[in-house]
Amino acid sequence: MANNLLLLFFLLFSRRIQLGSTLPEQPRQINSNSVLVALLDSHYTELAELVEKALLLPTLEQAVYTYNLTIFAPINEALERDLDPEFNRFLLEPGNIKSLQTLILHHILPTKLTLGDWPTEPTESTRHSALSNDRIEFSCSFSSNHSRSANKYVGAVKVVYPDSIVRPDGIIHGIEKVLIPKSVEHSFNNRRSLRSISAVKPEGAPEIDPRTTHKLLSKKKAKSATIDAHTPSKLSIYEAMAPAPSLAPAPAPGPGGSHHHFDGERQVKDFIQTLLHYGGYNEMADILVNLTNLATEMGKLISEGYVLTVLAPNDEAMAKLTTEQLSEPGAPEQIVYYHIVPEYQTEESMYNAVRRFGKVAYDTLHVPHKLFAKEADGSVKFGDGEDAAYLFDPDIYTDGRISVQGIDGVLIPPEDKKKEVKIANQNVKNLNKPRRGKLLEVACGLLGAFGHDSQFITCREK
């Protein structure tokens, strides 16, 4: 009897393990700062289109979750003009999708490879495996006997834009030609019934400056912008917000300032003025004007080469905030920080991301809280439930460093919502109290703490 009970227990336990292993995993949201999102919204538009045509997005999403990636992105001319037209048609035929997938995966490594990982002498070379399971050789050469600046090569293809895009989970290097794996070339040769063929023309691709064609720049200002997109900041934006000035990286080169550095303070004032002239965002502008520490912090970050996207709630949304939500010390700052994304995003880039991936997580300066966005009604929707907000006024201000997007709601972090419920329960008796301007109520509360509120008529009014 005891043996039968033991056997039954064992069978039930095994069955429970099997059931648990078959439960579907929770879907993961790709981060907006991912190298995969950056590729799809970069100036490497031809490669981005091929990734979508090859139906490789799910595969690359899984790769981003598993590895840090290195992507070798051929410049647009290499795919538009320098590929043999017949070979290009071969890749785009539905029956040859496996060859197209192999070609794209041949440009991606499951490891983050920076310039420091290349050989430093022409006699040296290293090999790394791509996602296509092919081994790729890495080498260097010097341009002349008088120059010690080494040119980097992937196979026989020159790296023309090293460190073109750097993200926490990967890096993109721009290359002058397409890397063609032997298996794809062999399939094409068999199709043509020829023993040898060169799919790429021998002449090199003309070099372009992607800084003047970057899609994430404002369409109105792309012609005049001269932002250095190839010099990533040495510190994360959160480290740069630390009070110690010794941690700050050197200012990034760019327009403005006597030394051609970014004048962050001027740019912050400029976008606040733009909010006021645009109309409908006076409350947000007033908060930024009154919270001088916050505006100064934003200006410092911009001066040091960082980029920001501000999701600005309109006046109608700000009017729904209660006094309790703004009365706690530091509450206005935390609310604004939750609306600042440490990336440069436009309406186009955000909509493209949510359309492709369904749901996207954006980091905010209100650490560690994230904003979740998804596509809804042909627009971008932030958050869920009653506190959700839609992208209402796109691209109010876009200068390549600061992007301001108008939204129709105030976004509250989940933990802060729980605190609001507690405060609301403790102050039920005060719900009928007449409401005044939110910033005025906060100011009167602070003056009352120091015993100076009686000097102001507006603070004595009940």
Side-chain angles (χ1 to χ4, degrees):
M1 183 66 178
N3 291 335
N4 291 338
L5 288 174
L6 184 61
L7 179 61
L8 180 62
F9 174 78
F10 176 75
L11 291 173
L12 289 173
F13 183 71
S14 301
R15 180 61 176 166
R16 184 175 180 182
I17 292 177
Q18 291 174 358
L19 288 173
S21 62
T22 59
L23 289 175
E25 292 184 0
Q26 291 293 327
R28 289 179 281 190
Q29 288 85 37
I30 192 164
N31 197 298
S32 63
N33 204 27
S34 169
V35 70
L36 182 55
V37 176
L39 171 66
L40 295 176
D41 284 315
S42 69
H43 46 267
Y44 301 106
T45 53
E46 292 296 317
L47 178 62
E49 288 179 9
L50 283 184
V51 169
E52 294 193 85
K53 289 178 181 177
L55 307 179
L56 277 178
L57 281 179
T59 301
L60 295 182
E61 282 186 67
Q62 186 60 43
V64 165
Y65 294 138
T66 310
Y67 315 104
N68 282 335
L69 300 183
T70 298
I71 300 175
F72 295 102
I75 58 178
N76 287 338
E77 283 79 0
L79 288 164
E80 285 178 333
R81 294 201 303 259
D82 298 331
L83 270 187
D84 178 20
E86 193 168 349
F87 179 70
N88 193 36
R89 285 195 296 272
F90 165 79
L91 291 175
L92 297 180
E93 289 178 3
N96 299 324
I97 191 170
K98 291 293 183 184
S99 295
L100 178 59
Q101 290 175 341
T102 302
L103 180 108
I104 294 172
L105 295 177
H106 192 68
H107 291 75
I108 304 174
L109 272 60
T111 182
K112 193 171 183 179
L113 194 70
T114 64
L115 286 182
D117 298 314
W118 252 272
T120 55
E121 296 295 334
T123 56
E124 300 175 354
S125 66
T126 58
R127 288 181 176 272
H128 295 275
S129 294
L131 291 181
S132 62
N133 295 324
D134 294 304
R135 300 277 289 176
I136 303 177
E137 184 178 8
F138 294 83
S139 59
C140 72
S141 69
F142 296 107
S143 55
S144 68
N145 294 331
H146 304 288
S147 174
R148 295 299 293 172
S149 59
N151 295 319
K152 310 296 184 183
Y153 287 87
V154 183
V157 177
K158 182 180 177 182
V159 179
V160 289
Y161 296 116
D163 298 344
S164 177
I165 298 174
V166 180
R167 292 292 184 269
D169 58 359
I171 190 169
I172 298 177
H173 303 289
I175 57 177
E176 67 176 354
K177 296 180 183 178
V178 179
L179 300 171
I180 302 178
K182 293 292 183 183
S183 59
V184 175
E185 187 174 356
H186 181 67
S187 298
F188 178 52
N189 290 344
N190 288 341
R191 178 72 176 270
R192 292 277 305 269
S193 300
L194 297 174
R195 292 191 176 273
S196 64
I197 189 168
S198 176
V200 183
K201 293 182 179 179
E203 62 267 17
E207 292 189 2
I208 60 169
D209 188 352
R211 291 173 292 180
T212 61
T213 59
H214 201 293
K215 287 178 66 178
L216 294 183
L217 290 176
S218 170
K219 293 178 183 177
K220 297 180 181 179
K221 306 217 172 187
K223 293 183 180 179
S224 60
T226 56
I227 292 168
D228 190 349
H230 300 301
T231 308
S233 301
K234 296 180 180 179
L235 298 176
S236 72
I237 193 167
Y238 306 107
E239 291 172 319
M241 291 171 65
S246 60
L247 293 177
S258 58
H259 300 289
H260 304 289
H261 296 154
F262 287 106
D263 185 352
E265 185 177 348
R266 181 189 60 79
Q267 287 180 274
V268 169
K269 290 179 179 178
D270 190 26
F271 98 74
I272 294 175
Q273 285 294 326
T274 302
L275 276 179
L276 290 170
H277 290 303
Y278 192 89
Y281 293 88
N282 294 332
E283 286 278 349
M284 186 66 177
D286 285 345
I287 287 181
L288 291 170
V289 168
N290 284 278
L291 298 176
T292 54
N293 289 339
L294 188 147
T296 302
E297 188 69 44
M298 292 174 66
K300 185 188 76 169
L301 291 172
I302 299 302
S303 296
E304 291 170 0
Y306 296 94
V307 292
L308 299 173
T309 296
V310 181
L311 303 177
N314 58 21
D315 288 344
E316 185 178 347
M318 294 293 287
K320 297 177 183 178
L321 283 174
T322 63
T323 305
E324 288 76 12
Q325 288 174 310
L326 293 170
S327 59
E328 287 191 17
E333 290 93 332
Q334 294 305 320
I335 289 176
V336 176
Y337 275 135
Y338 190 58
H339 289 74
I340 300 177
V341 176
E343 304 168 27
Y344 185 80
Q345 297 284 348
T346 63
E347 185 257 351
E348 180 185 8
S349 65
M350 288 190 289
Y351 181 72
N352 286 342
V354 296
R355 181 177 61 83
R356 285 165 173 148
F357 299 104
K359 194 171 185 180
V360 178
Y362 290 93
D363 293 320
T364 71
L365 294 189
H366 188 6
V367 182
H369 298 293
K370 292 178 179 286
L371 275 175
F372 292 94
K374 60 184 178 182
E375 181 186 11
D377 303 325
S379 181
V380 182
K381 180 182 179 182
F382 300 95
D384 292 303
E386 297 179 356
D387 296 317
Y390 285 86
L391 184 53
F392 190 70
D393 288 316
D395 299 339
I396 294 175
Y397 182 89
T398 50
D399 69 347
R401 282 288 163 179
I402 302 176
S403 170
V404 180
Q405 307 293 326
I407 59 177
D408 64 354
V410 178
L411 303 167
I412 306 295
E415 290 184 9
D416 292 354
K417 292 176 187 175
K418 295 177 182 177
K419 292 179 183 177
E420 290 169 19
V421 173
K422 270 189 180 178
I423 294 173
N425 292 335
Q426 293 172 358
N427 297 280
V428 174
K429 295 180 181 178
N430 298 326
L431 288 178
N432 296 324
K433 185 178 179 180
R435 291 175 60 188
R436 294 176 291 181
K438 296 175 188 58
L439 291 174
L440 180 60
E441 289 190 10
V442 175
C444 290
L446 292 174
L447 290 169
F450 294 98
H452 298 301
D453 59 333
S454 60
Q455 299 177 15
F456 297 88
I457 297 175
T458 53
C459 288
R460 295 200 302 269
E461 293 177 352
K462 301 297 181 183

